[in-house]
Amino acid sequence: MTSSNLVYLIALPLFSSALLMLLGRKADKWGHIFATLISTSTFAIGAMEFLAMRDRPEESRAVTQKLFTWISVGSFNVDAGLLLDQLSIAFVLLITGVGTLIHVYSIAYMSHDRDRRRFFAYLNFFIASMLLLVLGDSYLNLYVGWEGVGLASYLLIGFWNQKPEYATAAKKAFVANRVGDFGLSIAIMIAFANFGVVSFHGIEEKVGGASETALTAMGLMLLLAATGKSAQFPLQAWLGDAMAGPTPVSALIHAATMVTAGVYLITRSNFVFDNAPNAQLAVVIIGTITLLFGAIIGTAKDDIKKALAASTMSQIGYMILATGFGPAGYAFAIMHLLTHGFFKAGMFLGAGSVMHGMNDEVNMRRYGGLAKFMPITAITFGLGYLAIIGVPPFAGFYSKDKIIETAFNAGGVQGVIFGSAALLGAVITAFYMTRVMLMTFAGNKRWADDAHPHESPFLMWAPMVVLAIGSVASGYLLYSGKAIVKWLAPVVDKHHHEHEEFLQPIVVTSLAIAAVVIGVGIALAKYRGELAASAPQDVSIFTRVARRDLLQDDANEFLFMRPGQKLTQVLVATDEKVIDGVVRGVGASAVGSARGMRKLQTGYVRNYALLILIGALVALVAVLVVSL
Amino acid sequence: MNPTNYLYLSAILFSIGAVGVVVRRNAIVVFMCIELMLNAANLAFVTFAKMNGNLEGQVIAFFTMVVAACEVVVGLAIIVTIFRSRRSASVDDASLLSR
Amino acid sequence: MTFTAPALEYGALAPMLVIFGAAVIAVIVEAFVSAKLRAPVQLSIALGAIVLSFAQVWRLRGTSTATAAVNSVVVDGPVLFMQGTILILAFFAFLLIADMDAFAAQASAIPGSVEERKALQVGKIQTEVYPLTLFAVGGMMLFPAANDLITLFVALEVLSLPLYLMAGLSRRRRLLSQEAALKYFLLGAYSSAFFLFGAAFLYGYAGDVSLSGIHAAIASGPGNDAFLLIGMISLSVGLLFKVGAAPFHAWTPDVYQGAPTPVTAFMAAATKVAAFGAALRIFYVALSGAQWSWKPVITAVAILTMIVGSVIAIAQRDVKRMLAYSSIAHAGFLLTGVLALNQEGLKASLFYLASYGFTTLGAFALVTLVRDSSGEVTDLNRWVGLAKRSPSVALIFSIFLLSFAGIPLTAGFIGKFTIFTAAYDSGNIGVVVAGVLSSAIAAFFYIRVIVMMFFTDPEEDTVTVTIPSLYTNLTIWIAAIVTIALGVFPTPILDAIASLATFVR
Amino acid sequence: MNLLTSMGALPLLGALLIAFLPAANTKLIKQAAFVISLLVAGVGISAALGFDVNKSGFQYVEKYSWIPALGINYQLGVDGISLILILLSVILVPIVILAGWNESENGRFSVKTFYVLILILETMMIGVFAATDVFLFYVFFEAMLVPVYFLIGGYGTGARQAAAVKFLLYSLFGGLLMLASIIGIFVISGNQIGRTFDIEALSTLQIDSTTQNFLFLGFFIAFAIKAPLWPMHTWLPDAAKSATPGTSVLLLGVLDKVGTFGMIRYCVELFPEASKTFTPLIITLSVISILYGAFLAIGQKDIKGLIAFTSISHFGFITLGIFAMTTQGNSGATLYMLNHGFSTAALFLTAGWMISRRGSSTISEFGGLQRVTPILAWSFFIAGMSSLALPGLSSFVSEFLVLVGTYTRYPVAAIIATFGIILAALYILIPVQKALHGPTTPGNENLPDLNKREIAAIAPVIAVIIALGFYPKPALDIINPAAQATITKAGFSDPAPVVGGDK
């Protein structure tokens, strides 16, 4: 089925973004309103599409729109085409919905910034790119959105780029993403070389004929792309620094939407991964490592945003883990993605609200007892908290529980290992999130003298409330009657195989709840009551390592940056001294030999005569020797 | 006598002249060495005329003598002029032109 | 024994007879015409003779080729072309000479003596240079036309002897000029001796002095190979000396620098035509049958010449010496035409000689314009920033340099292209590669001069560019126009050459 | 008169006209030059509009005998590849004139001379791409050096003379090697089909493989110097650092394309077998160029040097695409030439404005320009994004085509080359961070933003960059048939996908 509306989803925000950029300061007065309206209208379009889609029979729910032939060279044909199916509509709603809320929030949050219009232009640009990412009907179209969101992320992280460290953070994010893009590029090349097409549909049709090696390679490259965009191990280091961006951005891009693009990519590429078990295993391993990695970092962070960022990393690790289990996990990955979108965005907005009231202070050691001063923030944040640690019946409980269950059900030793890891992750999650809650909203006041904590304005807390509602209800709504599983099945699980169960669901649920209890318990024991206003320094090596993001930056520096810089220096010197040196040497040797040969020209006529005589003799001897 | 011997003689004379040009400094002597070379060639011509049994070689010898005489005129004019300027007939003194 | 006077084909010999006749008349004029009138009379005689002679060449262009003077002179297409070229070059050389500023008032006076100063004061001018030049022109015309060894030798001497004297006639820096004359003379005579000795052995080998006789002897191959080889090499030394090929080139820079610039211009342009004309005839007509033995040697000489000329030129600081080395390099390129030994090679050589002749003439003519109070300034360091003072002079000189470098749209490029094509066609690919590489080296110093003129700021501002006399002006412009014209539309000349270029054996 | 000749003659006549204008009235001279170049651009665009994309072979063909004795013709014609490059040239010239309105004023020579040289250069650029006679091509190829030499040496900055001479000698050296090859193929043509320089005729010659290899090398080295390919690149950074931004745009944007254009037109089409033989070597050099150029760009302290090295990296991509011998590679390479022309133009022009405002080209002298001069900063940023091949901008299409086209035949090379995109992020974002972001460097607080003239110059470039990113079809339609023809002439066909058959 085709539709002519899809393009507006992308064109409207793109147009609005361009308009705001081109008009410059002239649009300062109304730019934020305009951008918010545009964002709202994309949500409206998305909602209408969703309703229309729901009313259609399962097999004709997907909608396509071909705009024009984008690139056509020989057998390489790529249309600028859009595809809206059950998978992408979920994302469209998430992006435009959360996006709109964040637009609203930002009107107030950014009201004192002289560049608010530019901020909204970036936001709209992000919405457009992200929608293109999920709507593109081929890998190449996806790639455009993929890099587009990377650019938007770069621009927004560096929104206050007059601070050098923020500019650095932006660059770091872009470069890490580019490493991922490298994977995506190669994956597309593999696809074209093997299938002659790059559209999802085209590849899916031919996927059966490809060798497992090729599919594994392609899968691994897609995984690399996902690790870059979704801040998975080993490309996760940029996410913490990305918190340099304004907090709404952290909520939208670096929690709810963009960073989950990797999950989307793997889910979208289910036809590749389902036929490449080794690639799947790699996905699972990466997901597991990251979920623990992020969780551990989260325990050590005093910066509220960085703690949340570490948590995001960890939660996406769960999603990636789920996608690695194939059709059994895709739906749960997406479900967790959606619920996470609500509660994590909500918590980030809460963090923003706290910062708003605390002179942009981000150090939780300088908070304490804020619940009294900003009750709405505390409540909405608290609901998000309950959701993320997986307390039933909040949203996170449903989604995370199913992922842990899927992990255990993967079977064999692997299932036990990954299931246990996921369970362990749940313990740590409960611990560090409780820590955040306690340090921020409970305990003693530790803030600076000039801080006057107060509740945020309506425009800010309203979106938080909406998201909090989502945090409470979305899990149940999505899971009741396996709604999400059935909805997505035509895209990700066409064969409807049933999975054997290793552990009874009730066992897993009990384990998960136990994990939460343990985690919360430890945190309560450790962080209840009075805390110091600065972080203790006499901590164990483990804490120190965790505070340093488990040394990922150091590793990157040691493995890539230092050698890279060294290589650059060496090459610069080589170019100057060796390559150009050879060139100059040729010139110099010509001049040198000229000077040398000039010495033959003594000015003495006898020497000239001698030259003639020698020349004649040599010629004569040569000829006589050769000829006679 | 075998005419080839004249050729050897001619070659020897030519070589003496050629080497003389290289080793002697006085312009006049150098010039005489060149004359020696020319006459060595003349000897060769005449010998070849004998060997080949035609007259052309001998005719050339006369031409050569005339030309050599012309050369003497021109050469001495130049050498005398330069001697007047420099008070020296050494060819090594005439080495201002070298760079 | 009866003596029958040989039949002389006056018609075919007319171009040369006119010139030699005029030369004799000029000598008489020198003796009898009053000092005041001498210069204009001499000039008109010279120019008249050249025009007349050229008319004769023009007249002969259509006639079937013929030998003349008992087979000792041949008048064929290439000869006529070269004679025409030499005449045109000589015409412009006379225009340069007419600007008598370059010549000594009294060549025999001691430099710096009282006599000299007196001569200068009364404005005394000796005009020996006109008859001398006319004799040289005659010799040059005869040299490529000579069809036997005697005529070759005589022509060689007739063209050389006046040049030796002319080299010593410079008005300024007379010691250098005299030294140039001495060197040129001694080395020229030395190489002539080699030439003659070679001629003797070729005669000994073939039993015949005519080039066709030598060709026939080589073809039938009865003679003593040692004679042939000694003769060939020895003769070649004389020829290679004249064309300025390494290692027989050493005189070139010294003489080019020391001689009065108009003489250098004439020498560099016209001698090359004559000498290569003779070389082409000797190698193509007489010695082509023995190419197996001389080709390697000449190949080596050609490559050496290109490299020596191009490389040493880099280190030169005097513009005339630099042009001299450039002419050495060009001799190397021209030798590839000799090596080609085919119709293409002959045609290309003829074109190359003509175009090179004009460019060289123009370049040296231009050198006469750059002066300070003591005369021409040839030190390149003082040419620095010339473009600021006289952009047109700098521009035209650049055109000449670009032509020497073989940049497209100049005559030099077409010349280089055709001559390398011929060489490649004949299988001498190594020479072509060497030629190309040495062209690259050569480009280095041509460009350096352009850089100096255009992009470097002068330190001392003493050099002036004289407003050229009409004659010099005309010469420079014509040379520049021909340089460009032959680069852009060489077709008329190429066609003319194509219709002429067959040697008569 | 024929279209191509008129297009080529127009700037030459313009140069003549300007030569007769009063030297003191520089404004009139500039305006005249601008109008003339606009007219040429108009002719160029009309040529593109009139180009029949469905016809194969050369169009707008004209042929007159020039030097019949040597079989040389004045012979012009364009196929898609040459048309695209001509279009690039004629569009960039007015932009360069407009952008560098005052560039000509501090030169060694007069303002008038500057514009005369620019217009002469434009004629040469049109000629070199339109020539279908090898000799004519060579004439333009070499003659082009002269105006560029004077433009660099006469109007540049810093060690401009040395740079100009280096450029000239390097190019001449390459040109002379090519001359040897031209002589070779000319002689061979004489032995087989009669002496000719017509490239279509020359491509039918039967040449034994040893000779082919040597002739190929002569051409290739010349083009590899021009393009420039590692390790024959060292002239480029020097020239780019010294030349005025406008000259650099023409130098890197157009003139260097003669190298890559020549590789397609002369190396591949005339010597298919030798091309095959040397492909592994050239692919290796290209990949080295890509990474090497990128690393060196990262290591540059001078912004012009940085742009020059990014170009070396990009030229690596172009040669990679050409010698991948696939339609995607070849079309991509040609499109890359076009896109690189525009993105380099944008980079150089904006960098030039930054430099002229600050009076220094050292990157660290800038800082925080985004606050001070937002339009300039954005222009530079977009140019940079185009240079790192951000999807949605034109370079992405070409870069990706090259990579995809290479992967199907040389996967390893393609994968290594793809590392270039990571390095590209670094070499663009580092100067962006240093120059545009961070606190404003003291002394830069009051730099003026772009004026209307400058905006008018950069806007069309950016518009083209974005437009061709989203809709490259018009360019690809022109390029594809020619690229296909090249691949066919070279005796290649695209590798079929592993999983064949359309369902």
Side-chain angles (χ1 to χ4, degrees), chain A residues 530-612:
Chain A
E530 301 275 313
L531 284 176
S534 60
Q537 293 307 312
D538 55 337
V539 290
S540 69
I541 182 82
F542 298 107
T543 313
R544 259 180 276 168
V545 167
R547 280 180 185 168
R548 286 186 71 91
D549 294 345
L550 296 183
L551 302 182
Q552 184 67 40
D553 279 335
D554 305 76
N556 287 348
E557 172 132 357
F558 182 74
L559 288 175
F560 301 107
M561 281 170 65
R562 290 259 182 78
Q565 282 164 353
K566 193 80 205 157
L567 179 64
T568 305
Q569 282 165 8
V570 168
L571 286 180
V572 169
T574 310
D575 196 60
E576 168 72 26
K577 304 245 162 60
V578 180
I579 297 183
D580 204 31
V582 168
V583 174
R584 276 182 278 120
V586 169
S589 67
V591 173
S593 49
R595 299 232 166 90
M597 283 161 78
R598 201 177 66 169
K599 295 211 176 90
L600 288 175
Q601 197 75 16
T602 53
Y604 295 117
V605 75
R606 296 187 299 126
N607 291 0
Y608 299 174
L610 182 63
L611 261 180
I612 294 175

Side-chain angles (χ1 to χ4, degrees), chain C residues 61-132:
Chain C
R61 77 191 188 282
T63 57
S64 59
T65 54
T67 55
V70 205
N71 207 19
S72 65
V73 169
V74 66
V75 180
D76 58 10
V79 165
L80 288 173
F81 182 82
M82 281 184 270
Q83 288 183 337
T85 308
I86 291 168
L87 285 170
I88 296 173
L89 293 173
F91 183 88
F92 290 108
F94 273 118
L95 291 185
L96 295 179
I97 290 168
D99 187 8
M100 285 302 285
D101 188 51
F103 294 95
Q106 212 165 14
S108 56
I110 300 168
S113 66
V114 184
E115 289 160 283
E116 192 187 48
R117 237 177 297 133
K118 260 189 198 158
L120 276 174
Q121 273 165 7
V122 298
K124 199 172 170 184
I125 293 175
Q126 280 190 333
T127 47
E128 319 90 321
V129 68
Y130 288 100
L132 288 173

Side-chain angles (χ1 to χ4, degrees), chain A residues 321-478:
Chain A
L321 172 70
T323 58
F325 295 122
Y330 293 128
F332 302 127
I334 299 300
M335 182 163 88
H336 193 53
L337 190 154
L338 294 174
T339 58
H340 176 257
F342 284 110
F343 58 70
K344 187 53 69 57
M347 283 194 286
F348 261 115
L349 294 191
S353 174
V354 170
M355 287 160 60
H356 191 75
M358 295 291 291
N359 287 350
D360 287 335
E361 177 62 72
V362 290
N363 187 348
M364 294 189 289
R365 304 244 174 218
R366 313 288 286 172
Y367 293 166
L370 288 178
K372 257 183 270 170
F373 300 89
M374 27 185 92
I376 304 177
T377 306
I379 290 168
T380 52
F381 196 98
L383 292 173
Y385 157 74
L386 294 173
I388 190 173
I389 62 173
V391 173
F394 295 96
F397 163 73
Y398 290 99
S399 46
K400 197 190 285 176
D401 185 50
K402 294 317 280 184
I403 292 174
I404 297 170
E405 187 185 322
T406 313
F408 276 116
N409 287 346
V413 185
Q414 283 184 14
V416 175
I417 293 172
F418 296 126
S420 314
L423 213 49
L424 177 62
V427 175
I428 307 173
T429 306
F431 169 77
Y432 70 74
M433 281 314 299
T434 311
R435 173 174 174 270
V436 170
M437 268 316 271
L438 291 175
M439 286 176 78
T440 307
F441 293 107
N444 52 333
K445 301 175 192 172
R446 302 179 297 272
W447 59 74
D449 298 336
D450 58 345
H452 304 288
H454 57 272
E455 186 53 271
S456 298
F458 169 74
L459 278 180
M460 280 174 69
W461 62 254
M464 287 154 58
V465 170
V466 176
L467 289 170
I469 294 169
S471 312
V472 176
S474 62
Y476 176 75
L477 290 176
L478 287 168

